[in-house]
Amino acid sequence: MADLLQITHPGSGTERELAITDATIRATELRQFVVEGGPLATYDPGYVNTASCRSSITYIDGDAGILEYRGYPIEQLAESASFLEVAWLLLNGELPNASQLAEWEQLITEHRMLPDKLKTVLAGFPYDAHPMTILMASTAAFYSFYPDAQNFTDPEARALNIARLIAKMPTLAAFAYRKGKAKPYIAPDDAYGYCHNFLAMLFKQAERRYHADERLIRAVEVLFILHADHEQNCSTSAVRSVASSGNDLYTCVSAGVGALHGPLHGGANEAVLKMLREIGTVERVPEFIEGVKAGRVRMMGFGHRVYKNYDPRARVIKKAVDDVFEITGVNPLLEVAQELEKYGLTDEYFVSRRLYPNVDFYSGLIYEALGFPPEMFTVLFAVPRTAGWAAQYQEFITDPEQKIARPKQIYTGYARRDYVPLDAR
Ligand code: SDX
């Protein structure tokens, strides 16, 4: 028997039974109850308890600390898959077979170059522009080079532009980094895979071929897989919201880049490094923790809207930290992070609020060990998340139930009043 919610509103004498499907009720059903102020609606700042869509891409169980892409556990994908394999999975719902993967890898390789005029856009930024700002503006600029992206209802045009964007994001990110270092751009090298090529475009100097330790390339691959998608987070919701008014992929993803930049979201990995540096030593951790408990500062990299358990990605990253440090040497800030985590997992303040390390708590330590400056950390989040944003964009525009996003509000302003002439004010 279908589950029901029986609601009675004594004020109007209205009684209704609302169908419960997928542990939700349709919010519009509440409009049957006319209360003081009009038809009943819900008020949910930050959409803490509101589902915006039906999605089959990513599943999270926050209490159990579970994350699955199209049903596959993140731990298994991080162990065995490549990032492009995962990107295909997110977009197509299945793991690619050998010929599909080869064809996909070739398509991505063919589209890695940036339009030459985009270098003029990059040149227009101040030398110290934040690379996320460059990424956001340049992602939107892609639309002026690929206007066929507006034909998003055409599966072929859509697939081509998704491949273009996934292929170009590493190149754009590397160019933004090289611009900040006043170094010449390094063109993509077709001999390299997705992550090796990314490292080469970032760090190649005068050597003829860029050599990277296979273990470091794999560490980047794992980090990319872990960051690829995460259901309806803030930046994905931004992508979907901008898609709802009929925009192309590039315009929507540029909005996602902007949302991700915020320190409460993707910008947290950069903020964690800044926090660890400010604490400086294990001896100063207790004083910092007192500041957190007093509400003066937040422990960046801790807490999550959904995970009320250890973020499964943080677990995988923590292992990758050990692997990378074997090669690069241990970052002294690691012991500060480990001391913070010890408090975070035992102190009543954190335990009572079910705050655990999230994906951003350890990732910055790896990025720094790989040679990235903190301002590049969120860029390293945006590059792989482009695959998730593209999959979510595609799911949104092919969902017949979706419509333009336009929430209600609770009006708290003045009641109607008449204009007052300037000389009477
Ligand atoms: C990402 O949504 C996603 O899926 C995002 C992401 C993805 O892959 O897309 O997983 C990536 O954004 C990870 C989160 C990175 N952000 C940070 O690490 C920033 C620090 N954490 C927070 O600011 C916070 O935990 C959020 C923003 C992540 C979640 O905020 P919520 O769910 O709105 O929780 P809240 O702010 O209402 O906090 C509940 C309580 C509050 O205390 P009380 O008012 O009840 O006394 O917990 C406290 C908060 O003050 N709290 C923290 C804290 N996080 C929450 N206190 C200290 N330090 C923290 N980090």
Side-chain angles (χ1 to χ4, degrees), residues 164-177:
R164 276 174 175 149
L165 189 55
I166 291 173
K168 295 177 194 311
M169 265 318 210
T171 314
L172 180 55
F175 281 27
Y177 170 71

Side-chain angles (χ1 to χ4, degrees), residues 48 60 226-227 229-236 260 262-269 271-272 292-293 295 297-308 311 313 349-350 353-356 358-361 381 385 389:
V48 172
I60 300 175
L226 296 173
H227 285 85
D229 192 59
H230 212 240
E231 58 147 81
Q232 305 313 313
N233 56 82
C234 177
S235 52
T236 296
L260 190 73
L264 294 185
H265 189 12
N269 52 22
V272 166
V292 171
K293 293 162 71 169
V297 284
R298 283 211 158 188
M299 177 122 88
M300 302 311 276
F302 249 71
H304 199 277
R305 173 64 58 77
V306 179
Y307 290 123
K308 300 311 172 191
D311 184 332
R313 300 168 296 177
Y349 173 91
F350 300 92
R353 291 169 176 81
R354 301 181 71 188
L355 303 176
Y356 289 86
N358 59 50
V359 67
D360 293 307
F361 191 65
F381 196 146
R385 185 55 59 92
W389 286 330

Side-chain angles (χ1 to χ4, degrees), residues 266-277:
N269 52 22
E270 183 178 347
V272 166
L273 244 291
K274 186 166 173 285
M275 172 185 76
L276 294 176
R277 285 221 178 90

Side-chain angles (χ1 to χ4, degrees), residues 41-98:
T42 59
Y43 175 51
D44 189 8
Y47 311 117
V48 172
N49 194 40
T50 296
S52 63
C53 64
R54 308 173 83 86
S55 178
S56 60
I57 299 171
T58 293
Y59 173 73
I60 300 175
D61 178 334
D63 288 330
I66 288 172
L67 169 59
E68 295 164 355
Y69 293 159
R70 299 288 191 179
Y72 293 101
I74 193 69
E75 297 83 357
Q76 293 180 24
L77 293 170
E79 182 64 33
S80 310
S82 71
F83 170 70
L84 284 183
E85 220 178 321
V86 167
W88 168 281
L89 170 67
L90 291 171
L91 286 162
N92 299 286
E94 300 297 340
L95 287 167
N97 61 34

